Amino acid sequence: MSRYLFLLNLSLILMVSVSQTALGQKYYIVRHAEKAHPTGDTPLSEAGLERAQALKEKLKDAKIAYVFTTNTLRTKQTAQPTAEHFKAEIQTYGKIDAALIDRFKSLKKNTLIVGHSNTLDELLNGMLGGDRYTDLDESIFDRLFIITKKGKRLTVVESTYGQPSSE
């Protein structure tokens, strides 16, 4: 009987492991939400704070383990509700280069990355390879890019969250 229980437990462990691998790891990449002023290291506007809450709601079941932002108030405020929901520390990143992309790719758990309209393309193209993306228009705040990693294969799905941006 104990051999049977051992094999049953081993089978359950393998099934859980395979099912988690089949789902894949995800990277959620967004631009910061709407800012209060057009220039400087400004906080989020009321609409931006609402969008940050909408991001948390959209990702509430995503099991985020890592949260990365640039070192600006608006990116940190965009990430804060989601980070608090998952009890994840906000880590900052600087220059987007091969070392940073390799660091992100080495992570083994779901990750939220918040950037800027003129850096999302570098993040996405760096993660996926190629030159598929260009800078986002300054008026777009509602885009959510979900990169799924299964083994070494990376795929992307574009989504939205919160109120639609006025394009």
Side-chain angles (χ1 to χ4, degrees):
M1 184 69 161
S2 69
R3 179 180 164 102
Y4 171 77
L5 289 176
F6 171 77
L7 290 174
L8 181 62
N9 284 334
L10 182 60
S11 296
L12 288 172
I13 290 169
L14 288 173
M15 286 188 326
V16 168
S17 176
V18 168
S19 70
Q20 288 178 346
T21 303
L23 295 175
Q25 173 193 356
K26 295 186 185 298
Y27 302 91
Y28 301 90
I29 301 176
V30 299
R31 175 191 182 191
H32 63 78
E34 294 88 336
K35 55 187 178 177
H37 306 288
T39 59
D41 188 13
T42 182
L44 294 180
S45 66
E46 189 61 37
L49 293 170
E50 289 174 14
R51 185 171 305 283
Q53 289 296 324
L55 180 62
K56 177 192 81 168
E57 283 302 309
K58 177 89 173 192
L59 300 179
K60 69 182 177 187
D61 297 322
K63 299 179 182 170
I64 303 289
Y66 304 106
V67 176
F68 290 90
T69 72
T70 61
N71 194 24
T72 61
L73 184 56
R74 61 191 174 273
T75 58
K76 291 175 183 176
Q77 285 184 319
T78 301
Q80 191 66 41
T82 304
E84 287 176 359
H85 177 76
F86 290 106
K87 297 174 180 51
E89 177 186 343
I90 294 177
Q91 302 175 59
T92 58
Y93 67 90
K95 181 180 178 186
I96 299 170
D97 57 14
L100 180 66
I101 297 299
D102 288 344
R103 179 179 177 204
F104 288 156
K105 285 183 173 181
S106 73
L107 299 172
K108 304 295 183 205
K109 296 182 181 175
N110 292 348
T111 303
L112 170 63
I113 305 169
V114 182
H116 303 270
S117 63
N118 64 345
T119 63
L120 286 190
D121 61 324
E122 294 175 68
L123 286 167
L124 293 164
N125 291 330
M127 294 291 289
L128 299 166
D131 290 321
R132 179 176 172 182
Y133 293 94
T134 58
D135 290 352
L136 275 181
D137 184 275
E138 283 286 320
S139 66
I140 298 175
F141 295 94
D142 65 348
R143 296 304 188 278
L144 170 62
F145 299 89
I146 305 167
I147 297 176
T148 301
K149 180 180 175 185
K150 291 183 184 176
K152 292 186 178 187
R153 183 170 179 238
L154 295 162
T155 57
V156 65
V157 172
E158 296 180 34
S159 185
T160 59
Y161 71 101
Q163 291 295 314
S165 290
S166 58
E167 296 178 46

